[in-house]
Amino acid sequence: MERIICLVIGYAFGLIQTGYLVGKAKGIDIRDYGSRNAGTTNVLRTMGKKYGVLVLLGDALKCIAAVLVIKLIFQNRYPDSICLLALYGSAGVILGHNFPFYMNFKGGKGIAATLGMSLSYCFLVKYGIMVPVIGFGMFLVIFFLTNYVSLGSIVGYIMLFIAIVIFGERGAYGFPEASNRAMLTEYYIVFGILTVMAIYRHKENIKRLIAGNERKTYLKGKPEIDVNREAD
């Protein structure tokens, strides 16, 4: 039951569609432009760096907020499984972000929300800062080498999963010894599902990468629309 509650809490936070809200604040529906995705990359390309960073932070922070709420509710009652419950909450955020019911289940791809999930390890796991450093660090390396956000996201997610397993095998999550392997297996399965979902959400990008016509993203590029003019 606690797992379901955490999923619901996370899904509620995930429904805060930062990209859509930022676009509406400037008088546009971001889903009518670019890739028609409500995520960070499309906002970055369409509206510019300032708004892209704003959406990135908003989508990451909503996952951190959900984990903090879950920690506040369940820490004292289930101290040995709080990392697992926080993962279910993070999964709920990603599901809410990717599949918001009030937007016909058409949201983003969950990468910025996953960044928030990885940052939440900083206050859940000993040496947890290494989790976002490994995952996001690999994303940055791939992105700056290739300018492909999609490729960086996919490789970064896989590296994040590898980091999760490494930390898990080193006993980082504080699971009680009696149920350590069962909880670890469940943890890996849930995170593995998130990883597969992230890769699947990029299936069209993967096809374009293979075909050699995936669109590159340049931080110095000009936005596709002048949102200030559009809002007037």
Side-chain angles (χ1 to χ4, degrees), residues 14 32 36-37 44 46 52 54 66 70 82 113 118 124 147 149 152 156 159 167-168 194 213 226:
D32 293 334
R36 289 172 167 72
N37 184 281
L44 172 65
T46 304
L54 182 61
I70 289 168
I82 190 62
S118 66
L124 286 174
N147 293 112
V149 173
M159 286 302 301
F167 275 89
L194 292 178
N213 55 15
D226 185 342

Side-chain angles (χ1 to χ4, degrees), residues 138-194:
M138 181 56 66
F139 164 82
L140 291 176
V141 169
I142 298 298
F143 172 68
F144 283 117
L145 285 176
T146 68
N147 293 112
Y148 289 129
V149 173
S150 56
L151 183 60
S153 298
I154 293 167
V155 175
Y157 223 115
I158 293 171
M159 286 302 301
L160 192 59
F161 178 70
I162 293 173
I164 292 299
V165 173
I166 291 173
F167 275 89
E169 293 303 312
R170 294 175 64 87
Y173 305 133
F175 298 144
E177 186 174 345
S179 56
N180 180 57
R181 180 47 56 183
M183 283 192 172
L184 270 177
T185 300
E186 182 179 357
Y187 202 96
Y188 297 157
I189 289 173
V190 173
F191 206 98
I193 291 172
L194 292 178

Side-chain angles (χ1 to χ4, degrees), residues 66-106:
V67 170
L68 286 173
V69 168
I70 289 168
K71 189 172 185 288
L72 181 65
I73 295 173
F74 293 108
Q75 175 71 62
N76 293 332
R77 294 169 59 191
Y78 304 103
D80 293 333
S81 58
I82 190 62
C83 282
L84 182 60
L85 295 178
L87 177 61
Y88 274 95
S90 299
V93 174
I94 294 169
L95 289 172
H97 177 80
N98 290 357
F99 310 106
F101 71 89
Y102 65 93
M103 293 171 60
N104 296 320
F105 300 98
K106 295 180 180 179

